Amino acid sequence: MSNMLINEWRTLHADTPHQMRQDLAAFVSARASALAEYFYQQMLMDKGTEVFLSHKRVEEHLKPSMCLWLERIFDASPDVDIDALFALQRHVGEVHARIGVPVELVARGARRLVTRILSEYGEDRAQGDDAMAAVRFVTDTIGIPVEVMASAYSGSYETGARADEAYRLFSTSQNLQVERERQRAALLAWETQFLYEVASGTAARALPLLGESEFGLWLNHKGAAMFSDENERADIGREIYQIDHVLLPMIRLSRRRNSELTEVVHNIKTRAAQIRFLLGTVFERLSNLEIGRDVLTQLLNRRFLSVILARETRLSRAKGVTFAALMIDIDHFKRINDDFGHHSGDVVLQHVAALLLNVVRGGDYVFRYGGEEFTVILVEVNLEQAAAIAEKIRGRLAEEQIPLPEDRRIRTTVSVGVACFDGHPDPARVVDLADKALYRAKTLGRNRVEMA
């Protein structure tokens, strides 16, 4: 498939008169901005594009990229690199798959773009056989790249779908008894805090919301992947909504009547018990599978990173909250392996993994990204909060002496790059930004936190 399209693209260039290619290249280059604007106007006519497109994003980011794309595919240089153009189309298709842009919308916009170019190019520029050659060249110069994108899109989408299902299965493979008790404890901790605040007369507006508690964060993020039946999650969500938005506000109204206050508190406790029951049925239904885990550290492996980024991006858009990525690298890790041996290096990796799990919250995600690098996805945080967590990780590790075999100890540090999701349609961008910030932290001397 790939070789066939590359050869077809080369043949198209070879069979089209060079002067015509130059004329079309100059024509498209001069009108690139207007053509790009027309392309996105066609896409924005579909209301479904609101999730990943906006007029501001088109104007600031996408239109300039589209102009560059048009100039590249119509490039009439004698040494144009078809292989590089092909690779670019594959990359664009994979990005569209990550963003979730329906491939049919891209194809529709491209089809209308062909019509627009040919209409504006006009019959006065080409007659007879030349006109037919121009039609073929414009149609295939846009059609072949779109076909390459569609092929890459399909492959990436299927891979993502398989990874998403695998992650759902993986989320059930954790030690279910431990996770079940942890979340029962988190729910009980919220209930205990709530009862204490009521007993001490805390103002109703300051009462802790269950949806924003440690349990609420876990449920909305990690826990969401465990629910194959959306009705289960909806049932728990309704109970939480009743507690947070109906019963807790009633506390203020019932302050002066002890009997009413007692009834409201009883209703909240009853609903909390119902949540515990519903959660218990979910855990009982799940099987203990062992997939998708880094063998050494027992963290998530990067196989699921794209799945989590896509999930958090959808949640961010739906709820208006944001998330952050930390890219963490153990400083001078090669020296540890060289001086103490690879077994000691493994011990250090396990120690860092355990520290990360200890510092972050239950709803956050910790991945072994590869080698001595880790990735943390922090949910519902802004850039400053994420940077504070990153600094806490860096400081904690710098203070510790890691025990090694043969009664030896070692101190080590980490460099951290921090980036916050900025609404960009490509979920992978936040990790790329954090990785650039990590590179800056290492360049500036290591053992530091840098923000994108």
Side-chain angles (χ1 to χ4, degrees):
M1 175 79 172
S2 298
N3 290 335
M4 182 184 73
L5 285 172
I6 289 174
N7 290 334
E8 191 175 339
W9 208 340
R10 287 200 178 102
T11 302
L12 177 67
H13 279 206
D15 290 350
T16 305
H18 186 63
Q19 186 59 51
M20 179 179 290
R21 285 180 54 206
Q22 285 185 318
D23 290 346
L24 278 164
F27 175 82
V28 168
S29 180
R31 292 163 176 77
S33 181
L35 291 171
E37 185 168 350
Y38 175 75
F39 175 82
Y40 283 112
Q41 281 176 351
Q42 301 306 302
M43 290 192 71
L44 286 166
M45 289 172 63
D46 191 306
K47 291 185 178 180
T49 61
E50 294 173 355
V51 174
F52 44 82
L53 285 182
S54 69
H55 290 284
K56 181 179 178 183
R57 186 162 297 283
V58 165
E59 206 58 39
E60 292 180 357
H61 300 290
L62 300 179
K63 213 168 92 173
S65 297
M66 183 68 177
C67 291
L68 183 60
W69 180 77
L70 284 167
E71 291 176 1
R72 283 181 174 175
I73 64 172
F74 278 94
D75 185 5
S77 304
D79 58 347
V80 60
D81 189 340
I82 298 296
D83 290 323
L85 281 176
F86 186 89
L88 174 65
Q89 312 318 309
R90 287 199 61 83
H91 172 70
V92 172
E94 289 164 358
V95 170
H96 284 171
R98 288 201 299 266
I99 297 172
V101 179
V103 70
E104 65 270 17
L105 291 184
V106 178
R108 182 196 307 163
R111 175 171 53 81
R112 292 176 179 172
L113 192 60
V114 169
T115 304
R116 180 68 172 260
I117 292 173
L118 290 172
S119 174
E120 292 187 0
Y121 190 66
E123 292 184 0
D124 59 325
R125 295 173 184 264
Q127 299 291 334
D129 291 342
D130 284 348
M132 292 298 295
V135 169
R136 180 190 173 220
F137 183 75
V138 172
T139 301
D140 285 356
T141 293
I142 291 179
I144 291 173
V146 170
E147 190 174 341
V148 176
M149 288 182 204
S151 175
Y153 180 102
S154 177
S156 289
Y157 187 84
E158 289 174 7
T159 299
R162 286 195 300 269
D164 191 70
E165 176 61 15
Y167 178 73
R168 191 191 69 76
L169 293 174
F170 168 75
S171 69
T172 70
S173 75
Q174 309 301 296
N175 189 322
L176 293 185
Q177 280 299 108
V178 172
E179 190 64 40
R180 176 178 182 171
E181 293 310 311
R182 182 177 181 181
Q183 296 315 318
R184 284 173 62 91
L187 187 56
L188 181 61
W190 174 85
E191 190 175 350
T192 301
Q193 183 187 1
F194 157 72
L195 292 173
Y196 173 80
E197 301 290 359
V198 170
S200 61
T202 300
R205 62 179 175 273
L207 290 170
L209 296 179
L210 179 54
E212 297 177 359
S213 67
E214 182 86 6
F215 172 77
L217 284 177
W218 173 85
L219 181 69
N220 288 327
H221 296 273
K222 278 189 177 177
M226 301 177 70
F227 294 86
S228 58
D229 183 353
E230 282 299 316
N231 290 328
E232 296 171 336
R233 189 179 174 195
D235 289 342
I236 294 179
R238 280 191 290 271
E239 298 295 337
I240 292 177
Y241 181 88
Q242 287 292 318
I243 289 173
D244 286 351
H245 302 289
V246 177
L247 295 173
L248 286 179
M250 291 175 63
I251 297 288
R252 179 186 301 172
L253 300 177
S254 57
R255 286 288 188 194
R256 297 179 180 177
R257 298 183 179 89
N258 288 334
S259 60
E260 292 180 2
L261 178 61
T262 300
E263 183 178 352
V264 173
V265 171
H266 175 73
N267 285 340
I268 289 175
K269 292 178 67 177
T270 299
R271 290 189 179 275
Q274 178 65 6
I275 292 172
R276 283 195 293 274
F277 171 77
L278 291 170
L279 196 64
T281 62
V282 172
F283 278 104
E284 287 172 9
R285 177 177 53 75
L286 298 173
S287 59
N288 189 16
L289 304 173
E290 287 295 332
I291 54 174
R293 194 195 307 275
D294 176 62
V295 176
L296 178 65
T297 63
Q298 295 298 293
L299 299 178
L300 289 166
N301 63 38
R302 62 186 295 177
R303 171 188 181 189
F304 295 128
L305 182 57
S306 61
V307 177
I308 299 307
L309 289 173
R311 284 176 180 273
E312 291 305 317
T313 298
R314 289 194 297 269
L315 279 169
S316 179
R317 289 170 180 154
K319 297 179 63 179
V321 297
T322 191
F323 64 93
L326 309 184
M327 288 296 292
I328 302 167
D329 183 85
I330 301 175
D331 296 328
H332 305 297
F333 185 71
K334 185 177 183 300
R335 290 184 193 171
I336 298 173
N337 281 334
D338 291 344
D339 295 346
F340 297 93
H342 288 277
H343 179 62
S344 293
D346 289 347
V347 171
V348 170
L349 289 170
Q350 291 171 329
H351 185 91
V352 172
L355 182 140
L356 292 175
L357 289 172
N358 186 50
V359 170
V360 304
R361 302 158 302 170
D364 299 323
Y365 303 89
V366 183
F367 299 82
R368 186 180 179 193
Y369 193 73
E372 67 272 25
E373 283 192 329
F374 299 85
T375 303
V376 178
I377 302 300
L378 301 171
V379 302
E380 298 192 23
V381 292
N382 57 34
L383 186 60
E384 291 73 23
Q385 292 167 332
I389 294 173
E391 181 58 36
K392 183 177 180 181
I393 291 169
R394 187 208 62 77
R396 281 275 300 274
L397 187 60
E399 292 173 357
E400 294 190 7
Q401 288 190 345
I402 302 174
L404 300 180
E406 300 177 5
D407 293 327
R408 294 177 297 180
R409 290 181 175 273
I410 187 176
R411 288 186 182 275
T412 190
T413 59
V414 291
S415 300
V416 188
V418 185
C420 214
F421 177 65
D422 60 1
H424 192 279
D426 184 0
R429 174 180 159 87
V430 68
V431 173
D432 292 338
L433 291 174
D435 199 42
K436 288 181 173 67
L438 170 62
Y439 178 79
R440 192 164 61 250
K442 292 162 70 175
T443 302
L444 293 174
R446 296 183 170 84
N447 189 24
R448 60 188 295 129
V449 173
E450 286 291 321
M451 292 181 285

